[in-house]
Amino acid sequence: MEKIASMKNQKVKQWKKLQTAKGRKEAGAYLIEGTHLLKEAIKADANILEVVMTEAFHEQSDLQIAEGDIILVSQEILASLAQTETPQGVVAIVQIPEAVPILEYRGKYILLDQVQDPGNVGTIIRTADAAGYAGVILGEGSVDLYNDKVLRSMQGSHFHLPVYRGDLQEMIPEFKKNGIPVYGTELNEAAVDYRTVSPTDAVALVLGNEGNGVSGKILALTDQNLYIPIFGEAESLNVAVAAGILLYHFVG
Amino acid sequence: MEKIASMKNQKVKQWKKLQTAKGRKEAGAYLIEGTHLLKEAIKADANILEVVMTEAFHEQSDLQIAEGDIILVSQEILASLAQTETPQGVVAIVQIPEAVPILEYRGKYILLDQVQDPGNVGTIIRTADAAGYAGVILGEGSVDLYNDKVLRSMQGSHFHLPVYRGDLQEMIPEFKKNGIPVYGTELNEAAVDYRTVSPTDAVALVLGNEGNGVSGKILALTDQNLYIPIFGEAESLNVAVAAGILLYHFVG
């Protein structure tokens, strides 16, 4: 096993660059943290480039990783790579897949229009996975998929279903051309109560930005726009909660 | 208007103590941050003890607050009181209500068994407000209601519906005695698919800890336990998302 003790080691410097979207893009790789995500990556046969752990973690770990693939580092180095307050003692560097599976325009999809909170984006992808959706599309202005907070709330769901990036204005007409109903979400009189719309085998649901909702130019392209009724005094729902309610509504 | 420029000022020290659950308990008060929450507090007629802002914020603010009630502080003091990275420039000290309205055992309630993530607790209370629920009950081991992250994700919903603290093992029999069906949530064979249960006017739904779910001793007390089916490969749903799906299911 290779061992690294110095924070100034060239590899450590390279790994730390993966903490930014720019660094990830340049390296074509991202960092995952903790045993759960690492096990998910192994199960999904992801291309794991390096597994970095402390000696203490290595001694009590039951992970099935060849010794030659492990790099042991000091507590200090691991803490600098991890982004949680009490890291478990392991991080791994995973290659960003070069190609995303072709979008088949079959089944259920969720489209995110400028959803910016990484916890919300990750939670929505996790929910889409749970609800058996075919894929998630991140529109322009949505947060980076490999952001550490997105990864933490996704809990490995990006290994289970494809997550695309694309221009929603170009993709919505494609869904419609393929006979898939496209529903936006908005809180106004023109929208219809989601409970009046029957579940369908295929659907494209658009969720929007935390503060501003789905943008007007996107709402104009959909077949219909839905709202979730508010019965109390809250002004709105959290976008990940709204997504959960709608995703499961369309499951039927 | 009173002005405070020194971080060592006695008031500043007192306010900073409100950043911990212990300090809030001793003072019987909590800190809110930003204009949205302050407006909600004013609208709800909450007992606002002090409003603290920077001079820059005061100059451009349209808040209707008597000059005598405002304390101007330096940017440095405000930043030390605020818990967001880019504070808006205003915080307020609000009294914790001495009495919670009597629990009437009428309508819909949500009960939280050791839900520990403050963002989840706040989001669930916001959703309960949106869905028109009668109240939320925080069981033992749930996070403090006045934690800054709870407050941020609640978005003022604690001003709209009562939030109780109590021993769920004592309260569940009370719900049952009052003819209110009590549903736990769990992911196993003994539970039933939530979609097979019809919405009712009154209900008590129990959601559990992020990692461990609802504890066994609570599940044993309920009328029935429900699960949300998983169609994909995710192991579970985020608890706030699961709450949203169930809360709106019971609205009908």
Side-chain angles (χ1 to χ4, degrees), chain B residues 127-238:
Chain B
T127 309
D129 177 13
Y133 275 52
V136 175
I137 298 155
L138 305 180
E140 287 166 11
S142 285
V143 74
D144 181 31
L145 182 65
Y146 300 106
N147 170 298
D148 66 296
K149 287 178 190 154
V150 176
L151 287 165
R152 216 175 308 148
S153 50
M154 259 190 316
Q155 299 215 348
S157 283
H158 66 302
F159 295 127
H160 307 153
L161 86 173
V163 180
Y164 305 90
R165 280 208 163 265
D167 181 339
L168 301 188
Q169 286 189 78
E170 286 172 15
M171 295 175 92
I172 289 172
E174 290 299 315
F175 277 101
K176 290 164 85 174
K177 232 183 269 173
N178 283 274
I180 298 183
V182 180
Y183 298 108
T185 45
E186 64 177 334
L187 261 180
N188 77 31
E189 301 288 306
V192 305
D193 187 330
Y194 79 101
R195 298 172 299 173
T196 65
V197 176
S198 299
T200 41
D201 283 344
V203 73
L205 287 170
V206 193
L207 271 291
N209 176 269
E210 287 83 357
N212 308 317
V214 179
S215 57
K217 59 186 191 225
I218 299 286
L219 289 174
L221 294 175
T222 61
D223 289 303
Q224 199 158 42
N225 297 314
L226 312 178
Y227 73 87
I228 299 173
I230 302 285
F231 301 95
E233 289 175 66
E235 284 172 18
S236 63
L237 287 164
N238 166 278

Side-chain angles (χ1 to χ4, degrees), chain A residues 26-54:
Chain A
E26 282 170 5
Y30 64 103
L31 274 173
I32 56 172
E33 185 180 335
T35 47
H36 176 73
L37 270 185
L38 181 52
K39 283 181 182 172
E40 286 282 335
I42 293 169
K43 206 170 75 182
D45 216 10
N47 191 358
I48 301 170
L49 304 174
E50 269 150 340
V51 180
V52 181
M53 58 179 75
T54 59

Side-chain angles (χ1 to χ4, degrees), chain A residues 130 195 229 231 233 236 248 252, chain B residues 126 129-130 195 229 231 236 248 252:
Chain A
R195 298 172 301 172
F231 301 96
E233 290 175 67
S236 63
Y248 267 83
Chain B
R126 177 179 171 193
D129 177 13
R195 298 172 299 173
F231 301 95
S236 63
Y248 268 84

Side-chain angles (χ1 to χ4, degrees), chain A residues 1 32-39 42 51-65 67 70-75 78-79 82 86-92:
Chain A
M1 279 178 289
I32 56 172
E33 185 180 335
T35 47
H36 176 73
L37 270 185
L38 181 52
K39 283 181 182 172
I42 293 169
V51 180
V52 181
M53 58 179 75
T54 59
E55 211 140 343
F57 180 88
H58 182 249
E59 277 166 22
Q60 53 80 49
S61 158
D62 62 349
L63 289 168
Q64 303 292 323
I65 297 167
E67 297 273 302
I70 295 174
I71 302 177
L72 291 181
V73 297
S74 67
Q75 199 75 47
L78 193 108
T86 48
Q88 290 181 317
V90 63
V91 301

